Amino acid sequence: MRNTPLATLDGLARDVLAIGTDYAPGTLLDTHSHRRAQFLYGATGLMEVGTDDGAWVVPSHCGVWIPAGKPHRVRMVGVSTRSLYIEPAAAPRASAQCEVLVVSPLLRQLLLAAIDLPALYDTASRDGLLMQLLLHEVGEAKTLPFFAPLPRHAKLAALCTAFLQQPQVHVSPKDWAVQLHQSERTFSRFFRAETGMAFAEWKQRACLVAALALLSTGLPVTTTALELGYDSPGAFSTMFRRRLGCSPSDFGKHF
């Protein structure tokens, strides 16, 4: 099914619904939620997904798992999506948070094929088996570290949000500790308690989120590195390769 509103299909007696939707560049789907869990895959372009837990960048060779009932917003950058909407009882993943997942070649082909199936496909036929295999592949997909969690504390959350909008790799914990009227040691403990990770780890993830968004627009590696405040493209490339297993230029070839 293509460009079909979920609301017209949500009540169908099928564990999995597959819908393909085309979006104009820059489309913003403001905060909303679904009764069903969703696996959202951008066959082209890039998506930026945000919840009260944090922000994700979802490049075209990845998808995002969105649990049932989870409020989320999505900004599309030239995206044609292939979405699975899954009854909560049939959900193949147990996470209560969104996750960015690797889309294998098999999973990609299954997603592309699924949107051509009728809404009321025969569950005992090849179509039903295809959907069951999709659920299995989504359940087995690997998670990538594109997540930058947001804290609950209002002032710290404001600092994190501002950083996500304009990250700079050389920002130090001391800078933020001063703004929160804390010692650096107290801030470090406080930040870990609020986000579940050390400040340096969170900062690197946030910079990676921004790097993926910049690279997906065609920005050169050197310019991207400088935008994020790295001293050299080499330092940026080393971080990128260590976290993702490929160079920034190799990643850019996906777009």
Side-chain angles (χ1 to χ4, degrees), residues 214-237:
L214 293 171
L215 291 169
S216 72
T217 66
L219 204 67
V221 173
T222 297
T223 306
T224 299
L226 295 177
E227 284 281 338
L228 297 176
Y230 281 88
D231 295 328
S232 69
F236 168 66
S237 295

Side-chain angles (χ1 to χ4, degrees), residues 99-134:
E99 299 176 290
V100 175
L101 308 178
V102 176
V103 173
S104 67
L106 173 59
L107 179 52
R108 181 178 187 277
Q109 291 304 315
L110 291 170
L111 288 163
L112 296 178
I115 65 166
D116 291 326
L117 302 186
L120 285 170
Y121 55 86
D122 182 353
T123 58
S125 70
R126 174 185 177 276
D127 294 348
L129 291 173
L130 187 151
M131 289 300 199
Q132 289 303 310
L133 182 56
L134 264 172

Side-chain angles (χ1 to χ4, degrees), residues 80-164:
S80 177
T81 66
R82 304 292 183 265
S83 281
L84 302 178
Y85 295 95
I86 304 166
E87 284 287 351
R93 304 187 74 88
S95 176
Q97 293 185 339
C98 296
E99 299 176 290
V100 175
L101 308 178
V102 176
V103 173
S104 67
L106 173 59
L107 179 52
R108 181 178 187 277
Q109 291 304 315
L110 291 170
L111 288 163
L112 296 178
I115 65 166
D116 291 326
L117 302 186
L120 285 170
Y121 55 86
D122 182 353
T123 58
S125 70
R126 174 185 177 276
D127 294 348
L129 291 173
L130 187 151
M131 289 300 199
Q132 289 303 310
L133 182 56
L134 264 172
L135 286 178
H136 177 80
E137 290 299 307
V138 170
E140 293 296 316
K142 294 181 179 179
T143 304
L144 288 182
F146 293 83
F147 178 46
L150 287 177
R152 301 292 182 182
H153 186 274
K155 290 185 178 179
L156 182 58
L159 289 173
C160 290
T161 299
F163 187 88
L164 284 166

Side-chain angles (χ1 to χ4, degrees), residues 26-51:
T27 296
L28 174 65
L29 304 181
D30 213 346
T31 302
H32 64 288
S33 63
H34 309 292
R35 183 186 65 81
R36 293 171 178 254
Q38 182 183 13
F39 180 64
L40 178 61
Y41 169 64
T44 61
L46 176 141
M47 300 176 290
E48 296 177 7
V49 179
T51 73

Side-chain angles (χ1 to χ4, degrees), residues 143-227:
T143 304
L144 288 182
F146 293 83
F147 178 46
L150 287 177
R152 301 292 182 182
H153 186 274
K155 290 185 178 179
L156 182 58
L159 289 173
C160 290
T161 299
F163 187 88
L164 284 166
Q165 294 171 345
Q166 192 172 2
Q168 286 293 306
V169 69
H170 290 304
V171 169
S172 73
K174 182 178 180 180
D175 298 328
W176 287 23
V178 169
Q179 295 185 62
L180 294 175
H181 307 290
Q182 296 176 344
S183 69
E184 190 170 345
R185 178 174 294 181
T186 297
F187 171 77
S188 295
R189 290 197 301 266
F190 174 61
F191 191 91
R192 184 180 289 277
E194 284 284 323
T195 64
M197 61 179 64
F199 177 78
E201 169 69 9
W202 184 93
K203 179 178 69 172
Q204 188 177 84
R205 285 198 183 190
C207 286
L208 185 58
V209 165
L212 295 175
L214 293 171
L215 291 169
S216 72
T217 66
L219 204 67
V221 173
T222 297
T223 306
T224 299
L226 295 177
E227 284 281 338

